Amino acid sequence: MHKEFTTLMSTVLDREATAAETERLHEHLTVCPVCAQTWTHWRTLDRYLAAAPLLMPAQGFVWRVAERIERERQRARRRRWVGSGLLLAWGGIMVLLWLGLVVSLVWAFTHPVEVGQVASAGAYLFSGLAWLLRTLQSILADGGGLELSLGVGFYLGITALVLLLWAWLLLREMGWLRPLATAGDSFTYSLKGWEVISC
Amino acid sequence: MIWLEQARRGDQAAFSRLVEAYQGPVYNLAYRMLGNAAEAEDAAQETFVRMYTKLNTYQPDRKLSSWVLSIASHYCIDRLRRRRATWLSLDDEPLATALPAGERGPEEEVLREESRDELQELVSQLEPAYRVPLILRYWHDLSYQEIADIMGLSVQAVKSRLHRARLQMAQRTSSGSLPAVALAPAR
């Protein structure tokens, strides 16, 4: 099979060849049986493809697109609200923290005795924490480390599951995790460009 | 173009008319690329959503059909790249229907269905980069230049990809294995 002529076959089938190129191909086909066979096969394939129908979507496609656009707009609006809310909350917390710090400093300067009392209460709390750590250390040393580890692992696992569930709900709410078109009883979800298929 | 201008000004009805005008080509491209009716429906919808959000970026010196098909083809190629193994099979009963072609007997209908599945299987085996120009050439009757505009390639690159697509399809078929529909006259 001559590569140059198969390239020419492709151009002729695409109706992009000049008259001279087409004639050159046909001349070659009369003397090369291998290329002639390839040409017959490619022409058959060409007609096979050309006869295939143009597919149309199911009824109501325009309406479904309109609905989807509306959903995207609502999602965008919600994202803006959530974003603004988070920013506002963060700003509020920062302001409160700074205010709290300023008030504490002012109070500390004006009430030195009370500051001393607070400091000693803090030291007492710290010593209580130290006691807790010493107790934990003795439990581990006594061979109860396995039960403690299992217990801690169990609570950490439950916390992780709760966090994952919360993240899933939040992502759905924010529109980052959204259902794709349904087909029958199946549902498909996409996560920001990744596909998670479920039923 | 009037509809486009109206759609840019926020006229939903005008945009719906654009969707109606291009739903066939976009859906067909998506189906031939993805090989799955549910994904094709979603990809086609997403194409129009993107078109809607990017209306103001459309350059009038470019054909609207080229622009829309460009969005669709790039999205489908991205989707094929991201495609992961499905855990559960989706209902693959096609939502699409072929354009009406007159009365047909049940036997002929079955043959056409089988032929369509075989054809889609053949197309699906091509690499995405070769699949797009093939679909645009055969189902949308576009020239090399138009395909090049849609894909952002040179004319030579389009020619080369079409050639390779044909080579691959020819290697996977033999003349005798193509269905009788191949004897129908070309469009």
Side-chain angles (χ1 to χ4, degrees), chain A residues 5 10 29 54 68 77 92 96 107-108 110-111 135 140 144 167 179 192-194:
Chain A
F5 287 100
S10 201
L29 294 176
L54 189 75
R68 186 161 171 158
R77 237 177 273 137
L96 283 172
W107 182 84
T110 53
H111 300 83
T135 310
L140 287 169
K192 278 281 209 181
W194 292 86

Side-chain angles (χ1 to χ4, degrees), chain A residues 14 46 52 64 73 193-194, chain B residues 41 82 84 138 144 187:
Chain A
D14 289 332
D46 181 68
R64 289 195 293 279
R73 281 162 70 172
W194 292 86
Chain B
E41 166 88 15
R82 289 192 316 256
R84 296 290 185 264
Y138 279 100
Y144 284 168
R187 259 191 262 122

Side-chain angles (χ1 to χ4, degrees), chain A residues 41-110:
Chain A
H41 185 191
W42 281 33
R43 269 190 66 195
T44 308
L45 201 55
D46 181 68
R47 290 166 80 182
Y48 177 49
L49 288 166
L54 189 75
L55 299 174
M56 293 291 285
Q59 288 267 357
F61 179 78
V62 177
W63 173 79
R64 289 195 293 279
V65 169
E67 277 220 322
R68 186 161 171 158
I69 288 174
E70 185 53 33
R71 279 201 304 271
E72 290 291 331
R73 281 162 70 172
Q74 283 176 6
R75 232 176 258 129
R77 237 177 273 137
R78 265 202 304 270
R79 271 198 295 267
R80 277 197 297 271
W81 275 111
V82 167
S84 310
L86 283 172
L87 207 61
L88 207 63
W90 179 82
I93 288 168
M94 285 292 111
V95 165
L96 283 172
L97 278 175
W98 279 108
L99 269 175
L101 186 64
V102 166
V103 165
S104 305
L105 284 172
V106 166
W107 182 84
F109 274 120
T110 53

